[in-house]
């Protein structure tokens, strides 16, 4: 059976390599350790609330966008890379893991929204963008490991 939504299995290795690089860059960016790499004028496509609801052209760097997009791509590659032995069971396991990850993510977002306030809430929400992927990857590979271990013990 062919699964069109999965990347080739090499993407998992690419994703892990990218993840290491962009995880470090994200930590450096969030702690203000790195400054602007590519300072340039950028335009916001969403009107600014501070300048009379107009679109803003401002000096900014691209490092935050590069860090977040790179991290998101790496997590997508890891999450949706085909396994060597991809079959109906692993597809079912993916679906169950994804459903579990969405439920846990929803609970975490609700709890965070009700208990965290101010600028810290914004920072937590930036971090939570990645949480759904971490939950899915963790659950899927844990359940896959557990299944393979049980299958190996039966032999």
């Amino acid at each position: 059976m062919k699964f069109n939504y999965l990347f080739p299995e090499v993407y998992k290795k690419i994703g892990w390599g990218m993840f290491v690089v962009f995880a470090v860059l994200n930590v450096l960016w969030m702690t203000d350790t790195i400054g602007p790499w590519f300072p340039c004028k950028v335009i916001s496509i969403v009107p600014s609330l501070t300048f009379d609801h107009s679109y803003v052209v401002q000096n900014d760097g691209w490092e935050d966008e590069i860090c977040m997009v790179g991290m998101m791509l790496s997590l997508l590659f890891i999450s949706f890379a085909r396994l060597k032995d991809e079959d109906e069971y692993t597809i079912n396991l993916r679906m169950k893991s994804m459903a579990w990850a969405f439920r846990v993510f929803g609970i975490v977002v609700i709890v965070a929204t009700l208990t965290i306030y101010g600028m810290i809430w914004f920072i937590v929400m930036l971090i939570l963008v990645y949480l759904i992927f971490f939950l899915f990857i963790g659950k899927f590979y844990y359940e896959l490991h557990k299944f393979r271990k049980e299958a190996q013990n039966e032999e």
Side-chain angles (χ1 to χ4, degrees):
M1 181 180 288
K2 190 167 182 151
F3 306 106
N4 294 330
Y5 67 90
L6 297 176
F7 296 118
E9 61 184 272
V10 71
Y11 275 59
K12 187 162 115 179
K13 290 179 184 173
I14 295 169
W16 279 112
M18 288 174 60
F19 176 77
V20 169
V21 171
F22 286 108
V24 169
L25 289 177
N26 266 300
V27 169
L28 293 175
W29 170 67
M30 291 183 89
T31 58
D32 277 336
T33 306
I34 54 176
W37 301 330
F38 310 109
C40 59
K41 292 197 180 287
V42 294
I43 186 167
S44 173
I45 61 170
V46 177
S48 171
L49 299 176
T50 56
F51 295 109
D52 195 26
H53 302 291
S54 62
Y55 294 93
V56 176
V57 176
Q58 61 185 5
N59 285 324
D60 196 11
W62 284 89
E63 64 277 350
D64 50 347
E65 287 85 1
I66 292 169
C67 289
M68 291 193 73
V69 169
M71 184 76 142
M72 192 62 67
L73 281 175
S74 71
L75 291 170
L76 277 169
F77 289 169
I78 295 166
S79 297
F80 294 104
R82 184 176 289 119
L83 299 174
K84 288 180 184 178
D85 54 348
E86 195 78 37
D87 59 7
E88 286 81 14
Y89 180 76
T90 55
I91 292 300
N92 186 29
L93 193 57
R94 281 182 193 277
M95 300 266 295
K96 286 180 179 179
S97 299
M98 186 68 73
W100 178 87
F102 271 99
R103 284 192 303 267
V104 172
F105 177 76
I107 291 167
V108 169
V109 169
I110 289 168
V111 169
T113 301
L114 295 174
T115 58
I116 301 171
Y117 304 99
M119 190 60 182
I120 272 293
W121 179 84
F122 180 71
I123 293 167
V124 168
M125 288 300 134
L126 279 175
I127 294 167
L128 286 180
V129 167
Y130 307 125
L131 180 65
I132 189 86
F133 289 103
F134 290 129
L135 291 170
F136 169 72
I137 292 167
K139 178 73 170 170
F140 175 68
Y141 285 104
Y142 170 75
E143 292 294 332
L144 188 63
H145 172 73
K146 199 166 75 171
F147 171 73
R148 288 179 176 166
K149 190 175 179 182
E150 288 173 6
Q152 190 178 32
N153 287 340
E154 289 178 6
E155 291 177 356

